[in-house]
Amino acid sequence: MPKRSLEAIDHLLTEYAGIRLFPALAMIVALAVLGAIVGIVFPKFEATALLQFPEATGGKERAVDLETFKRVAASYASPVQLSAFVDAKGLQNSPAAARLIVQSKEPGYWEKAATPVLPFTKRDQRELGDLKDAAVAALLGLDLISDARTPLLAVEMIGILGDYYVNAVMRERIRAWVLAGQADSIGMAKNIEAAIVRAELDVALLERRAQDMKGILAKYPTAERMDTRQVISLNTSDESQRFLSPLAQLVGFESAISQRREQIRRWDRDLKQKQLLAGFYVDALALIDSSATVEKLLPALKELAAAKLSAADSSQEWVREASLRVSGQLDSFSVALTQFGLRNNSVRVNEVGIRKPSRLAVLAAAVGILGLACVAFLRTTLRVARA
C-alpha cells in the first residue's frame, strides 16, 4: 500500500477514532489471536445419531407411535428423571453423564436433544404428494444430538441419551401393561361375581320350571305323545314356545340349565385367575415406581411373578395358563428391549463451525473493527453536537 494511503488512513483513524493506524492494527490482530486461542483451548464437537425404534410390521404393539412418545417425553424430559437414571446405572463419576445433566437444565434442551423421526414428513408430502399411509404415526426413531469439548465425550453422551430414551419407552410400556392388568383383574372381578350370581338365579328358576314340567307330565301322561311339529315364532317377545309339549319344554330347560352351569364354571375359573393375578399386578406397580432401569425391573418382575403364582396349585390348568401369560409377556418385553438401539454407523461427530479457531479469529477481528467504527461514530456525533 502506498505510503500516502497509509498516512491518510492513519489520519482518519486519529481524527475520528482517536487511535493511530498501527495500534489499531495491533488491537485487531490481538483480538484475532485471542479468538483463535479460545477456539483451540475450548473446542466444541457435535455428535448426532439415529435411535432406531422397532418396526411396525410385527404388530402395532411393537411400534412406538407419536402419542406414546409425546407422553414419554412429557414425563421424562426432566433433569430429576435423568439424574435418577444416571444413579441407577452407576454413572455418577461419568463426565458425559454429568455434562448431560447440566445441559438438561437449560431451557429448550429436550426439544433439541431428541427429535421424532416420522416415516412421512412435510417435505415428502411436497415432493411425493399425498400417500395412502401418510397418517401412520409410528415413529422410525429419534434424531439425537449432543455437544462436548471432545469427540469421544460427545459420543458417550449420545450413548447415554439413547439408553435413557429406550429405558423410558420400555418402562412406560411395562407400566401400561401392569395398569391394564390391574383394571382387568381388579375392576372386572366384581362384574364376574355379579354375573355368576345372576346365572345361579337363572339356574334356580330353570330348575323350578323343569320341576313344573315334570309335574305336568305326571298329571297328563298323554302329553308325552303330543305332536311336537308345531310352527312357533322365533321372536323373543312372543311366548308361543309355551305351547310346545311339556316334554319338549323340559328338554329345553334341562339344556339351558346345563349351558348356564357351564358358563358359571367358566366365570368361576376366570374369577380365580383374576384374583390370583391381582396380587401380582398390585406389587408390580410398586416395583416399577421403585426401579429406575428396565434392566433391573424385568428380572425383579419375573421373580415377583414366580413368587406370587407359585403360591397357587400349579396342577390347576387355570394357574398354568395365568403363569404362562405373565411370563410370556415379560419375555416379550425382554425381546423388545433388544430391538431398540443406535443405528449402525449412524453416530456422526463434527466440529461446531462457530467454535473453529479460524472462524473465531475472523469473528474477533470483525468485533474489533466494529468497535472502532462505533467509537468513530460516537466521536463524530459528539463533535457535531458541540458544533
Side-chain angles (χ1 to χ4, degrees), residues 39-334:
I40 294 173
V41 177
F42 302 102
K44 190 174 184 180
F45 294 89
E46 187 177 78
T48 58
L50 173 64
L51 176 63
Q52 185 177 5
F53 285 169
E55 298 180 3
T57 55
K60 293 183 179 180
E61 67 277 1
R62 290 179 51 194
V64 180
D65 55 22
L66 185 59
E67 180 183 357
T68 301
F69 172 74
K70 284 184 173 293
R71 184 169 62 251
V72 170
S75 303
Y76 288 83
S78 166
V80 177
Q81 292 279 6
L82 181 59
S83 299
F85 174 76
V86 168
D87 294 341
K89 296 284 286 187
L91 301 174
Q92 296 89 339
N93 299 324
S94 172
R99 182 172 176 82
L100 270 178
I101 294 175
V102 172
Q103 288 184 347
S104 66
K105 299 177 182 179
E106 300 175 358
Y109 166 78
W110 293 102
E111 290 77 8
K112 178 184 177 183
T115 306
V117 180
L118 290 167
F120 191 79
T121 63
K122 291 184 177 180
R123 179 179 178 181
D124 297 330
Q125 190 173 9
R126 289 194 303 267
E127 295 179 354
L128 305 175
D130 294 333
L131 296 181
K132 181 179 179 181
D133 296 331
V136 177
L139 299 183
L140 298 180
L142 296 178
D143 274 335
L144 303 180
I145 183 170
S146 65
D147 58 74
R149 294 181 180 179
T150 63
L152 181 59
L153 187 62
V155 172
E156 291 179 359
M157 291 173 64
I158 282 287
I160 296 175
L161 191 61
D163 291 342
Y164 178 69
Y165 274 105
V166 171
N167 182 79
V169 172
M170 288 302 303
R171 192 163 177 257
E172 288 307 305
R173 276 190 175 182
I174 297 173
R175 184 191 300 275
W177 169 65
V178 170
L179 290 175
Q182 274 192 350
D184 181 67
S185 60
I186 299 176
M188 295 297 295
K190 294 299 182 181
N191 293 334
I192 294 177
E193 290 181 3
I196 291 175
V197 172
R198 179 59 183 268
E200 289 175 346
L201 174 62
D202 291 342
V203 169
L205 294 176
L206 289 171
E207 287 178 343
R208 183 177 299 176
R209 291 291 302 276
Q211 290 295 329
D212 293 341
M213 288 301 105
K214 291 178 181 179
I216 293 174
L217 287 174
K219 187 176 181 180
Y220 303 101
T222 58
E224 295 184 7
R225 297 189 295 273
M226 290 179 61
D227 187 6
T228 59
R229 293 176 296 177
Q230 302 178 30
V231 179
I232 62 172
S233 174
L234 296 178
N235 190 353
T236 56
S237 62
D238 188 1
E239 297 184 357
S240 60
Q241 68 270 15
R242 60 194 177 94
F243 295 107
L244 289 172
S245 67
L247 180 60
Q249 293 188 52
L250 178 60
V251 172
F253 292 146
E254 294 290 349
S255 176
I257 291 172
S258 175
Q259 183 181 7
R260 292 292 194 282
R261 285 175 175 171
E262 179 184 358
Q263 186 63 59
I264 289 174
R265 286 192 293 269
R266 290 180 180 274
W267 280 334
D268 184 64
R269 176 183 181 277
D270 292 341
L271 181 60
K272 290 178 180 178
Q273 271 192 347
K274 294 184 185 305
Q275 290 173 343
L276 176 63
L277 293 174
F280 166 75
Y281 287 125
V282 171
D283 292 344
L285 187 59
L287 199 59
I288 292 173
D289 294 334
S290 62
S291 301
T293 61
V294 179
E295 288 82 357
K296 297 179 180 179
L297 176 60
L298 286 176
L301 286 176
K302 291 181 179 180
E303 292 180 2
L304 176 64
K308 288 291 183 179
L309 300 179
S310 62
D313 185 4
S314 59
S315 62
Q316 298 291 329
E317 49 83 21
W318 58 269
V319 176
R320 295 197 302 271
E321 180 187 356
S323 178
L324 289 173
R325 287 187 183 277
V326 171
S327 61
Q329 187 61 56
L330 293 176
D331 289 340
S332 70
F333 287 137
S334 300

